[in-house]
Amino acid sequence: LSLNLKLIADVGLVGFPNVGKSTLISRISSAKPKIADYPFTTLVPHLGVVKVEEFRTFVVADIPGLIEGAHEGHGLGDQFLKHVERTRVLVHLIDASDDTRDAVADYKAIVRELELFNRELLDRKQLIVASKIDALASPRKLSGLKAMCTRKKLPFLSISAVTGQGIKELIGVLDSMLR
């Protein structure tokens, strides 16, 4: 007999390593994950309870960074992807400050990994969030991601977990998506 314990959360934060998932969960909840500027700082999922109002909360899971090939076990990704299956809403965190990466390509790579792991994950409610906008070097990067979201009719927000810009709006949108 083999039992698999799966993490249960309302919202799952997904994205490549170092896009700001741990910083975000530490900003919106009392969770205290390890935060550093090197890949795979987060090795296990962290949970945080987000307080919306006095008696209304939701649980967010900080899923360790995914890489291409995660569905095949690269970077321990298949173990992390199992946790994503137990969330109701997926938040795709995309680093808007990194000029060496293409934000749209990063989003598509994560979606492809989710699809190859479990096609049903794409049927979940999804929110695309550009993170680290306080360090945005090129507005074109943000506008390209926003344009793709508009074309695909995907909800889009931009935030800075460091400065707090867009955080209140993010919590409100997530609360609405969960109701």
Side-chain angles (χ1 to χ4, degrees):
L1 180 62
S2 175
L3 297 175
N4 283 330
L5 179 62
K6 291 187 178 181
L7 190 66
I8 299 175
D10 297 306
V11 176
L13 303 177
V14 296
F16 280 102
N18 286 69
V19 296
K21 296 181 298 295
S22 295
T23 303
L24 176 58
I25 198 170
S26 71
R27 178 74 183 217
I28 63 177
S29 73
S30 60
K32 301 292 180 220
K34 182 178 179 182
I35 299 171
D37 63 353
Y38 56 86
F40 299 108
T41 307
T42 304
L43 295 174
V44 295
H46 293 281
L47 294 178
V49 178
V50 178
K51 184 176 179 179
V52 180
E53 290 179 355
E54 187 64 33
F55 298 105
R56 197 165 75 236
T57 62
F58 59 87
V59 178
V60 176
D62 170 13
I63 308 296
L66 300 172
I67 61 171
E68 292 188 59
H71 71 283
E72 297 174 329
H74 296 233
L76 300 175
D78 60 338
Q79 293 174 27
F80 299 158
L81 285 164
K82 289 177 185 176
H83 298 296
V84 178
E85 290 180 312
R86 300 296 290 181
T87 61
R88 293 172 42 203
V89 174
L90 298 178
V91 174
H92 295 267
L93 226 55
I94 312 281
D95 184 348
S97 71
D98 188 349
D99 276 344
T100 64
R101 301 192 60 98
D102 179 331
V104 174
D106 283 357
Y107 166 75
K108 288 179 179 180
I110 294 299
V111 167
R112 180 166 164 71
E113 290 305 317
L114 294 173
E115 180 180 34
L116 291 171
F117 179 73
N118 180 348
R119 173 74 179 100
E120 291 176 11
L121 290 173
L122 300 183
D123 296 333
R124 308 262 163 94
K125 292 180 182 178
Q126 297 183 43
L127 174 64
I128 316 310
V129 177
S131 67
K132 302 183 184 183
I133 61 167
D134 57 298
L136 186 65
S138 170
R140 279 187 37 209
K141 184 171 190 170
L142 193 59
S143 62
L145 183 61
K146 190 174 185 175
M148 186 234 21
C149 290
T150 301
R151 277 192 314 274
K152 293 186 174 218
K153 297 184 175 145
L154 296 168
F156 173 81
L157 290 174
S158 54
I159 64 159
S160 169
V162 172
T163 66
Q165 183 179 351
I167 297 297
K168 200 173 204 176
E169 183 182 3
L170 172 65
I171 292 170
V173 168
L174 291 173
D175 182 47
S176 295
M177 291 175 87
L178 290 167
R179 285 203 249 164

